[in-house]
């Protein structure tokens, strides 16, 4: 396990082979760039271009490497970028549950509190702060699908945007784009799981019109029709007793006993009937309210709905790992185009980690990586942080980058006329 020379070369080959699959159909320069970025993101665990460049271990001046990477990030040919992303989605598609696909949707933010010169700096609510203060930053819209074996979140849509950008319409456009991305990859028969930020009449109308199954956490102020009468969901939740019992175990090994109730409800906006599921036990102040168009016949169906919604926590872990393990909020490229290109390459790397985690029982390399992470836990629900730490540990013993793995064609000897004597 501790033979890092063998493990380093094995991990390098894994990254190189994955990079070649992702960049297939592009030119050599783009393929080399993708390989360098995938390797250095893995080794550095950082979105800072200086750290990425430093961990390539090139024999040229560091400033020249930084300049080259910045130039490549500022512009990637549109056709090649689309090819790279489609190749990545092909890898994702082969590793998801096609019978019952679960897609998790969420909105996050990038905190750029001290930045002043970045393109189209917006004002965002810093969700990580206790007082929910407003700071400079950008919005992030993301959709992840769960892998078929270990149910790891793997991104299929990730977009950084600003409300101050030219041509910006509204946030719902990015929400619809993320839903369409899921539909294009999986088809319409997926279950979408959404937080309170998606409790919107336009959203319900779109999902119902396109026959997508959904589970949405509704806001306490939401009003629905119960037996033809308008009632607030908070008021309804107080009148129920929660007779269905279920137990939920979270990643911190803390077990909760939850009590569930459900009732039919109609949305006044489109007059369509849904089911309101009320969950007691997660919070002492307010029960959690979920609205779904999935048919419920008995208590087992209710428990399944709640478990599906609780799986949404995995996308929160995905964001947390992205920010903590890769310093996502500390990226220092100035244009939104460069940010989104860097985000795409990081998303692909995180997808690679999810694919490794999904084969944890079949791939010895994954076990070696987790062992190298020296984690206190033997088992985790979301493996992103442990695998990221393990990869950085193993690659810390590498000192010559991936240049030896690249296909470098030597130029032929210069031809010129020669006088024969």
């Amino acid at each position: 396990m501790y033979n890092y020379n063998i493990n380093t070369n094995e991990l390098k080959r894994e990254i190189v082979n994955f990079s070649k699959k992702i960049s297939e159909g592009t030119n050599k320069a783009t393929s080399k760039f993708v390989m360098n970025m995938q390797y250095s993101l893995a080794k550095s665990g950082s979105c800072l271009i200086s750290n990425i460049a430093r961990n390539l271990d090139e024999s040229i001046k560091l400033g020249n490497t930084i300049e080259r990477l910045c130039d490549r990030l500022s512009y990637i040919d549109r056709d090649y970028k689309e090819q790279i992303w489609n190749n990545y989605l092909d890898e994702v598609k082969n590793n998801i549950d096609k019978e019952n696909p679960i897609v998790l949707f969420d909105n996050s933010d990038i905190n750029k509190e001290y930045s002043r010169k970045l393109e189209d700096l917006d004002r965002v609510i810093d969700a990580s702060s206790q007082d929910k203060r407003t700071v400079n930053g950008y919005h992030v819209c993301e959709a992840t699908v769960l892998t078929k074996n270990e149910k790891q979140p793997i991104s299929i849509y990730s977009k950084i945007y600003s409300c101050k950008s030219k041509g910006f319409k509204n946030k719902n456009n990015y929400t619809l784009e993320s839903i369409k991305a899921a539909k294009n990859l999986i088809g319409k028969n997926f279950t979408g799981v959404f937080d309170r930020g998606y409790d919107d009449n336009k959203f319900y109308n779109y999902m119902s019109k396109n026959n997508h199954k959904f589970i949405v956490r509704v806001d306490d102020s939401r009003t629905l029709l119960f037996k033809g009468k308008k009632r607030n969901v908070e008021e309804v939740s107080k009148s129920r007793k929660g007779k269905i019992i279920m137990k939920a175990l979270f990643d911190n090994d803390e077990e909760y006993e939850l009590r569930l109730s459900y009732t039919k409800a109609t949305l006044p906006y489109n007059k369509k009937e849904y089911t309101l599921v009320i969950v007691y036990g997660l919070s002492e102040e307010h029960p959690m309210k979920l609205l779904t168009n999935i048919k419920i016949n008995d208590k087992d169906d209710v428990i399944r709905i709640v478990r599906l919604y609780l799986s949404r926590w995995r996308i929160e872990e995905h964001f947390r790992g992205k920010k903590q393990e890769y310093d996502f909020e500390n990226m220092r490229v100035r244009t939104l185009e460069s940010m989104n290109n860097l985000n795409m390459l990081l998303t692909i790397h995180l997808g690679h980690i999810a694919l490794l985690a999904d084969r944890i029982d079949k791939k010895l390399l994954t076990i070696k990586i987790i062992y190298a992470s020296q984690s206190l836990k033997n088992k985790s629900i979301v493996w992103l942080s442990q695998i990221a730490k393990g990869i950085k540990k193993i690659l810390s013993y590498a000192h010559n980058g991936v240049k030896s793995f690249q296909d470098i064609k030597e130029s032929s000897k210069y031809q010129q006329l020669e006088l024969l004597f």
Side-chain angles (χ1 to χ4, degrees), residues 271-388:
K271 305 302 181 185
K272 289 185 178 292
E273 187 177 71
Y274 303 113
T275 301
L276 179 70
V277 178
I278 307 166
V279 184
Y280 307 87
L282 287 174
S283 170
E284 295 181 0
E285 298 178 358
H286 302 282
M288 183 172 68
K289 279 79 69 175
L290 308 175
L291 195 67
T292 181
N293 61 349
I294 299 175
K295 189 176 181 180
I296 294 179
N297 296 316
D298 51 35
K299 69 175 186 179
D300 291 334
D301 291 338
V302 180
I303 293 173
R304 183 171 62 87
I305 294 296
V306 176
R307 291 198 184 280
L308 284 175
Y309 180 78
L310 293 178
S311 70
R312 205 201 68 82
W313 168 81
R314 296 170 191 246
I315 196 173
E316 300 284 355
E317 284 294 296
H318 176 82
F319 274 127
R320 187 177 68 86
K322 198 172 184 178
K323 291 180 178 181
Q324 292 186 0
E325 301 298 334
Y326 294 90
D327 210 7
F328 182 57
E329 292 183 306
N330 201 24
M331 65 168 71
R332 295 179 191 176
V333 289
R334 289 195 173 187
T335 67
L336 270 172
E337 178 73 15
S338 296
M339 287 183 196
N340 274 301
N341 288 338
L342 180 55
N343 181 45
M344 179 187 74
L345 293 167
L346 177 60
T347 297
I348 290 172
H349 169 62
L350 297 181
H352 189 195
I353 287 179
L355 295 177
L356 287 171
D358 200 49
R359 299 192 290 270
I360 191 171
D361 294 329
K362 299 179 181 179
K363 199 171 182 67
L364 180 59
L365 177 60
T366 305
I367 298 173
K368 290 179 179 179
I369 292 170
I370 294 173
Y371 189 78
S373 71
Q374 298 180 331
S375 175
L376 293 174
K377 293 184 178 181
N378 295 323
K379 178 67 176 175
S380 181
I381 296 176
V382 178
W383 287 104
L384 193 156
S385 292
Q386 284 91 326
I387 292 181

Side-chain angles (χ1 to χ4, degrees), residues 101-112:
I102 309 300
V103 186
L104 315 176
F105 297 86
D106 200 10
N107 288 311
S108 186
D109 58 82
I110 298 178
N111 184 335
K112 289 291 185 181

Side-chain angles (χ1 to χ4, degrees), residues 65-220:
T65 304
I66 292 174
E67 185 178 357
R68 186 187 79 240
L69 294 178
C70 288
D71 287 344
R72 295 294 302 178
L73 277 176
S74 64
Y75 175 76
I76 301 177
D77 185 273
R78 181 179 295 180
D79 292 336
Y80 289 155
K81 185 158 61 174
E82 185 176 345
Q83 182 67 48
I84 291 168
W85 188 248
N86 287 336
N87 290 341
Y88 165 72
L89 291 180
D90 287 340
E91 291 295 312
V92 173
K93 192 172 184 177
N94 294 329
N95 291 273
I96 60 176
D97 185 357
K98 296 179 176 64
E99 295 182 0
N100 185 30
I102 309 300
V103 186
L104 315 176
F105 297 86
D106 200 10
N107 288 311
S108 186
D109 58 82
I110 298 178
N111 184 335
K112 289 291 185 181
E113 182 177 0
Y114 303 107
S115 298
R116 298 293 181 269
K117 300 294 184 180
L118 298 179
E119 181 184 14
D120 297 332
L121 264 177
D122 204 350
R123 299 292 289 176
V124 300
I125 297 175
D126 184 10
S128 60
S129 62
Q130 292 183 349
D131 55 354
K132 305 299 180 185
R133 57 200 176 96
T134 303
V135 298
N136 286 341
Y138 297 97
H139 305 279
V140 183
C141 181
E142 188 124 9
T144 64
V145 62
L146 297 183
T147 57
K148 60 184 176 183
N149 297 321
E150 293 294 318
K151 308 303 179 186
Q152 299 298 295
I154 182 168
S155 182
I156 59 173
Y157 180 90
S158 185
K159 183 74 173 180
I160 301 171
Y161 67 93
S162 167
C163 299
K164 294 184 178 181
S165 295
K166 185 179 179 181
F168 174 81
K169 294 181 180 179
N170 55 62
K171 294 181 180 180
N172 286 338
N173 281 359
Y174 295 100
T175 298
L176 295 181
E177 277 187 15
S178 64
I179 297 172
K180 289 176 182 177
K183 179 183 177 182
N184 292 337
L185 181 68
I186 304 169
K188 69 178 183 179
N189 295 320
F190 65 86
T191 301
V193 183
F194 304 85
D195 199 10
R196 280 176 290 195
Y198 295 86
D199 182 17
D200 186 280
N201 289 332
K202 293 179 181 178
F203 163 77
Y204 292 123
N205 195 44
Y206 177 85
M207 295 294 284
S208 298
K209 183 179 179 181
N210 290 276
N211 297 315
H212 298 317
K213 291 183 287 186
F214 63 81
I215 304 168
V216 183
R217 184 176 180 179
V218 297
D219 194 81
D220 291 342

Side-chain angles (χ1 to χ4, degrees), residues 12 17 32 49 52 61 127 135 139 240 245 251 269-270 276 295 318 320-322 332 344 350 368 412:
K12 278 186 178 182
N17 291 336
K32 176 184 174 182
I49 300 300
I52 292 172
K61 290 183 178 180
V135 298
H139 305 279
R240 313 292 291 191
I245 306 297
D251 200 33
Y269 176 76
N270 58 13
L276 179 70
K295 189 176 181 180
H318 176 82
R320 187 177 68 86
K322 198 172 184 178
R332 295 179 191 176
M344 179 187 74
L350 297 181
K368 290 179 179 179
S412 58

